[in-house]
């Protein structure tokens, strides 16, 4: 695990407002505050969990960290670089360091593309890698997630849900990133398969020194994987701390309600 004191990821005073449609022609456009003054740091090789109910701002935060949207205020720095201050070419170069795993493993994979095409796509887009290198790296990524090189010629419908999420993780790994943003990565899977994928994520973290920003409504998942937890309510941080303390002796009433409503496993 990386012992550097400089954080890999630093988010400072992030806010995001969305403008809504006008109620009538001459009225000012109303706004909704999706994220309000959120700050945190994440060390290399560590995992930070973001929890909260639907509408709490979790996915908005993920999009800002991935630089898929611009914040209304605040900064996101990866390895000291302000992602939202970069032009398109410089941001593309930084994207090799951060990748994303989505909630629905089938919806995030193009059914018309082979596993080779899907997994190797980031190399083609970000690095312009030659076909031989893409195939070799894709086979390495599949092996890392417990699949075979012979699977490269197959299509997503030929795999189970858990295997498809392994393919999605392989696609995220292929650029050898430092950070993976995982947005509800196991919520679409059966409980038995969830444990396999979470164990895989932890094994990959140990092997490659990955940092995870894990977005989830499932407190048990965050408790298992994360070193620190942030609780969001209406776009604001209401509590933070290590999961051993936060999930066993929560201080904020909102965190207490989340825990009371969580299913027992």
């Amino acid at each position: 695990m990386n012992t550097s004191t400089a954080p890999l990821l630093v988010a400072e005073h992030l806010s995001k407002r969305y403008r809504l449609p006008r109620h009538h022609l001459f009225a000012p456009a109303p706004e909704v505050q999706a994220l309000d003054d959120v700050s945190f740091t994440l060390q290399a090789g560590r995992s930070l969990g973001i929890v909260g109910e639907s509408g709490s701002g979790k996915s908005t935060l993920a999009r800002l960290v991935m630089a898929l949207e611009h914040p209304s205020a605040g900064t996101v720095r990866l390895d000291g670089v302000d992602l939202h201050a970069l032009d398109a070419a410089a941001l593309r170069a930084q994207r090799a360091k951060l990748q994303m795993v989505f909630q629905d493993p089938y919806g995030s994979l193009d059914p018309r593309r082979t596993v080779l095409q899907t997994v190797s796509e980031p190399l083609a887009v970000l690095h312009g890698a030659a076909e031989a290198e893409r195939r070799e790296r894709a086979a390495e990524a599949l092996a890392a997630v417990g699949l075979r090189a012979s699977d490269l010629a197959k299509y997503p419908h030929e795999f189970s849900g858990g295997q498809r999420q392994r393919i999605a993780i392989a696609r995220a790994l292929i650029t050898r990133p430092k950070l993976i943003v995982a947005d509800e990565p196991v919520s679409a899977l059966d409980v038995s398969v969830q444990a396999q994928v979470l164990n895989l994520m932890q094994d990959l973290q140990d092997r490659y020194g990955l940092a995870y920003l894990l977005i989830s409504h499932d407190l048990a998942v965050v408790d298992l994987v994360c070193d620190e937890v942030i609780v969001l309510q209406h776009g604001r941080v209401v509590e933070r701390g290590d999961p051993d303390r936060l999930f066993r002796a929560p201080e904020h009433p909102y965190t207490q309600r989340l825990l009371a409503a969580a299913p027992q496993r």
Side-chain angles (χ1 to χ4, degrees):
M1 185 172 289
N2 193 309
T3 57
S4 171
T5 57
L8 172 67
L9 180 69
V10 178
E12 292 185 310
H13 306 296
L14 282 179
S15 295
K16 181 64 178 178
R17 295 183 299 276
Y18 292 101
R19 184 166 294 180
L20 302 177
R22 290 181 172 86
H23 296 302
H24 54 83
L25 182 61
F26 299 106
E31 291 185 338
V32 60
Q33 187 84 30
L35 216 59
D36 188 2
D37 196 25
V38 173
S39 298
F40 62 85
T41 61
L42 175 58
Q43 296 288 137
R46 305 283 285 179
S47 297
L48 173 64
I50 309 294
V51 302
E53 296 172 309
S54 177
S56 62
K58 304 188 303 297
S59 292
T60 297
L61 179 58
R63 290 193 295 271
L64 296 184
V65 169
M66 289 296 300
L68 299 175
E69 295 185 8
H70 281 274
S72 303
T75 58
V76 177
R77 298 182 185 276
L78 182 69
D79 268 346
V81 176
D82 183 351
L83 296 180
H84 295 283
L86 301 177
D87 61 26
L91 179 59
R92 190 179 306 114
Q94 285 292 316
R95 286 203 184 282
K97 297 180 182 179
L98 72 163
Q99 292 291 310
M100 192 163 188
V101 174
F102 297 92
Q103 175 177 359
D104 180 2
Y106 194 73
S108 66
L109 305 177
D110 188 336
R112 300 165 297 181
R113 297 169 67 85
T114 65
V115 171
L116 172 60
Q117 291 171 318
T118 294
V119 172
S120 66
E121 182 180 24
L123 286 183
V125 172
L126 298 176
H127 298 298
E131 182 179 352
E133 181 185 356
R134 296 202 303 269
R135 178 175 289 275
E136 181 181 355
R137 293 270 293 272
E140 291 174 357
L142 281 194
V145 300
L147 296 175
R148 298 168 298 182
S150 59
D151 292 324
L152 288 171
K154 297 179 181 179
Y155 290 85
H157 73 269
E158 300 179 67
F159 298 90
S160 68
Q163 289 172 323
R164 287 194 290 263
Q165 195 62 301
R166 288 173 185 264
I167 293 169
I169 293 171
R171 177 175 58 189
L173 284 176
I174 200 165
T175 63
R176 297 166 184 165
K178 296 183 177 183
L179 170 67
I180 290 181
V181 177
D183 192 355
E184 302 281 6
V186 297
S187 63
L189 305 177
D190 294 337
V191 172
S192 59
V193 179
Q194 288 183 11
Q196 296 172 16
V197 172
L198 292 173
N199 287 336
L200 170 65
M201 291 176 64
Q202 291 177 301
D203 289 344
L204 294 172
Q205 183 175 49
D206 292 339
R207 194 184 315 173
Y208 299 116
L210 295 169
Y212 290 124
L213 183 67
L214 179 63
I215 312 293
S216 184
H217 70 280
D218 190 328
L219 304 185
V221 167
V222 173
D223 193 10
L224 177 66
V225 174
C226 295
D227 303 295
E228 186 180 4
V229 183
I230 286 176
V231 182
L232 286 182
Q233 182 187 27
H234 304 314
R236 293 189 66 88
V237 176
V238 296
E239 192 164 2
R240 69 175 75 207
D242 70 84
D244 283 341
R245 195 281 304 168
L246 192 143
F247 289 148
R248 287 151 189 79
E251 298 175 355
H252 196 277
Y254 178 71
T255 312
Q256 295 168 5
R257 291 200 301 271
L258 286 179
L259 285 166
Q264 300 301 309
R265 295 189 178 180

